Structures are given as C-alpha cells and as structure tokens.
Amino acid sequence: MKTIYTLANLKIELDALLEKNKKTGLVPTMGALHNGHASLVRKAKTENDVVITTIFINPTQFNNPEDLIKYPRKEEEDKKLLEEIGCDILFMPNTEEIYQNYEFPGIDLGKLDTIMEGKQRPGHFIGVCQIVYRLFQITQPTNAYFGLKDFQQVAVIKYMTNYFKLPINIIACDTVREENGLAMSSRNLRLNETQKEDALILYSTLKFIQNNYQNSSPYQLKIDATHFFNQGNLSLEYLEIVNPETLEQLNDTWVAESIACIVASAGDIRLIDNLKIN
Ligand code: PAF
C-alpha cells in the first residue's frame, strides 16, 4: 500500500492509473477504522482495480468543537489494517493540503438539511458535502463506498452526486455490528465498559420497533419505543420512523422499507444507528 500525504503525489499516482483506464474505488473515512470500514474496503476490492482509502478528520463537519478534539485517532493501527486487507492507496492529507485552492460550489440540501441530523447538527451536512465533493474531485473514482449506519449521510451524498451530475456510483453498504448488535463506530472507542453495555439499548429499541410494527402505526410505535428506550441509561436525542426515500416522518401508515433512526448520548459520546423495519 502506498501512503500519500500531498495532492501533488496523489496526482502522480492517479494520472498513471487513469492512463491505464483502471476502475477506482474510493472509501472516504475519518480514521479510527473498524470492521465496518474494513467491509467497505473489502467490497471495493472486489469491484475495482484500485482502492483508495482516505483518512481525514474533516473539521468543517463538526458543529461541536469538543467532538472534533475528542474524535479518536489511531493512525498506525489504521495503516496496518488497510495494508492487511489490501488497500492500494491511503491518502492522508492535512487540512491545509486538502482545502488549498478549493472553493465548494455550494448546494441547497433542502429538507435533507432540516430534519434529524440536519436539524440537530447545523452545518454538518454542508461540511460533509464540502469534503466529499473535494475528495471526488481529487480522486475521480468510478465507485465510492459509504456505510448505511449514517443513513442520512448516504442520502445527502447521493443527492449531491445527482445535483452536480457527477459520474460516480455511490455504493451504500450495510451496517456492520458487534455480535451483541452494537453498530460499529469509531466513537465506540470512547465508551467505557458500562457505557458499552448501556449503548445496546439503541439496537434493542430498533429491534423493538421491527418486532412490533405489524400491530401498530409508526406514530404509536414511536411513543412506545421511546418508552422502551427510556428504561435504559442513555439520553435520547431523537427517534424517528421515516420514509427511506424522502426521509419524511411516517405517522399513520408504513411504507416499504421504512427506516427507524435513532441518536442518543452516553455521557458526551453521541451514538447513531438505524434499522430497516419491514
Ligand atoms: O462518514 C464519515 O466518516 C465522514 O462523514 C466522511 C464521509 C468520511 C466525510 O468526512
């Protein structure tokens, strides 16, 4: 695996690849890699000639400065994992390098930016678009891989790709879970043992909705599931049952592949999860 830090060196590598007309798969990450990321890289390996993973903790998508400071970093382990699973290029720029001579054209995300994550984290998705657009511009991948744990992020990135008519396939990949159901997340590294136990309530609540949807409306089940969740020790930020296309809240009736989305905090650690209900 080649580890590259500068745009100039990345360009040299990519120019050679483009000449050879190779299919490239991009896996954008913020590091602190876990099995969820590894599954994206592995999938990218099977569908492309060359896999580029990026590690960049993008400051513009953190609306909470404390969260940025505390975001886990483990560069050496990340490199080792990526080597092991056969990543070809690791691009690890610093903030100056990636944002120099770049201006994001801007995008109106409409409703996507006013609900759930958009509502709770003002500016977050514009920051995500700003960096993902930049990474697309630099690497010009055939395929780009994102985890469905961040369901709304995938919707935003698909929207952005359509909006700018970028010739890139966005590949959404299933959430990878620990055996006990906890969705893998870089932030899990910050959980202590008690919080790890407490965090299981997220998946249990989603399963509660999945197990009961046939006997209840989304509106009623959201109330019941909130009650279920509140028996645990985490603090609920939101629980929404939404249409998978529009992300609009469901009230009276279920639609195909309705999604339940949940965000809660264990201390100051914000955890996110979702599940396809039907
Ligand atoms: O999902 C993430 O880790 C980040 O939001 C992404 C897509 C790498 C952009 O910084």
Side-chain angles (χ1 to χ4, degrees), residues 165-212:
K165 300 191 171 32
L166 305 176
I168 299 168
N169 304 313
I170 305 302
I171 319 279
C173 305
D174 284 343
T175 302
V176 178
R177 299 182 180 279
E178 306 281 358
E179 253 171 52
N180 61 16
L182 182 66
M184 291 201 182
S185 164
S186 305
R187 287 190 167 89
N188 294 353
L189 285 170
R190 296 188 49 221
L191 298 170
N192 64 31
E193 287 310 311
T194 315
Q195 288 171 326
K196 252 183 223 161
E197 277 295 311
D198 290 345
L200 299 181
I201 192 74
L202 275 104
Y203 188 58
S204 313
T205 303
L206 295 172
K207 287 302 271 184
F208 176 90
I209 297 173
Q210 197 179 53
N211 292 336
N212 290 292

